[in-house]
Amino acid sequence: DTGVSQDPRHKITKRGQNVTFRCDPISEHNRLYWYRQTLGQGPEFLTYFQNEAQLEKSRLLSDRFSAERPKGSFSTLEIQRTEQGDSAMYLCASSLIESTGELFFGEGSRLTVL
Amino acid sequence: AQSVAQPEDQVNVAEGNPLTVKCTYSVSGNPYLFWYVQYPNRGLQFLLKYITGDNLVKGSYGFEAEFNKSQTSFHLKKPSALVSDSALYFCAVRDGAGTYKYIFGTGTRLKVLA
């Protein structure tokens, strides 16, 4: 399968713990996006990368959240000191660098904070 | 700032009848518009997009959408609904004036009744 893959698919953690999610985009895609989706809501933009450069970050993203894409391939999203309000589905998507490209989404990583 | 509105939380339609799922948008530049579908416990799947050209665009699974610049709308349509079309549908917009951030609506649940 050559689609976007995310790991882990499910993560249950206790409040205050750190968690890290990984995203492997489609291999030739230069842009990589992270979104958060809560039940009954649409995906909420968190951040995106073009190659290894993080070009935009949502103001809604607290400093407990950090994302990296060190070699312009896979990306990680780390949440430090998790809170119950962080419980959500974290979606990764990738696209080609062409300006009109649609996003290709992974299946998501579901986080439950107890 | 760019934004998307999906005014209906749920749309019910009988199988075989035409369906419409509504979307309006706001951007400062030219809009790039997209529709995605999400099935339970799955990632978002791309259906169709409008970038430029004909106002009526055709996409996957028999879906189409009509771009209306004066009404800033991009409604999703299908001439004859199937029970298997029942899912969550999201409209998304990207402002063509420079940003590569995609903003999603809150989603509309389509229920096709047999």
Side-chain angles (χ1 to χ4, degrees):
Chain A
D1 182 41
T2 57
V4 178
S5 63
Q6 294 188 243
D7 183 71
R9 293 291 310 279
H10 304 275
K11 179 72 176 178
I12 300 174
T13 191
K14 293 182 179 179
R15 189 177 54 182
Q17 298 295 304
N18 298 345
V19 296
T20 299
F21 300 112
R22 176 181 169 125
C23 172
D24 287 89
I26 295 172
S27 59
E28 64 268 26
H29 284 187
N30 314 84
R31 294 204 181 102
L32 186 147
Y33 296 75
W34 286 100
Y35 284 82
R36 177 171 62 190
Q37 186 180 23
T38 53
L39 197 62
Q41 298 298 313
E44 176 188 27
F45 172 79
L46 295 179
T47 188
Y48 86 91
F49 294 83
Q50 181 166 306
N51 299 314
E52 65 274 11
Q54 187 174 20
L55 296 187
E56 193 166 347
K57 185 176 174 179
S58 169
R59 282 174 286 181
L60 300 174
L61 210 60
S62 78
D63 55 11
R64 295 185 298 105
F65 288 71
S66 62
E68 293 183 342
R69 194 182 183 200
K71 297 182 180 179
S73 55
F74 73 92
S75 176
T76 58
L77 176 69
E78 182 183 18
I79 308 174
Q80 295 182 326
R81 306 181 303 281
T82 52
E83 302 172 356
Q84 288 186 325
D86 297 330
S87 296
M89 179 74 86
Y90 290 85
L91 301 172
C92 178
S94 67
S95 74
L96 286 167
I97 206 165
E98 63 168 329
S99 61
T100 63
E102 61 269 24
L103 298 180
F104 293 81
F105 281 85
E107 303 265 320
S109 293
R110 181 171 296 283
L111 174 65
T112 301
V113 182
L114 302 176
Chain B
Q2 58 203 98
S3 65
V4 175
Q6 293 183 242
E8 304 153 317
D9 289 337
Q10 181 159 321
V11 169
N12 295 329
V13 63
E15 187 175 31
N17 282 2
L19 69 87
T20 298
V21 182
K22 296 179 180 177
C23 171
T24 58
Y25 66 90
S26 174
V27 295
S28 56
N30 290 323
Y32 296 164
L33 294 156
F34 304 82
W35 275 102
Y36 287 82
V37 60
Q38 187 176 36
Y39 297 99
N41 300 314
R42 301 297 301 274
L44 278 74
Q45 297 176 33
F46 169 74
L47 279 179
L48 50 79
K49 66 182 177 183
Y50 171 83
I51 304 301
T52 187
D54 289 343
N55 289 342
L56 186 66
V57 293
K58 296 186 182 297
S60 307
Y61 313 119
F63 284 94
E64 57 191 27
E66 187 169 13
F67 170 65
N68 187 316
K69 187 173 183 178
S70 63
Q71 296 185 2
T72 61
S73 67
F74 188 57
H75 300 331
L76 181 70
K77 300 182 180 185
K78 188 174 182 181
S80 178
L82 300 173
V83 172
S84 58
D85 293 330
S86 299
L88 197 52
Y89 290 81
F90 293 99
C91 182
V93 67
R94 206 196 95 197
D95 191 334
T99 179
Y100 294 98
K101 181 172 70 176
Y102 297 71
I103 298 300
F104 286 79
T106 52
T108 299
R109 185 167 299 282
L110 174 66
K111 192 169 184 180
V112 182
L113 307 169

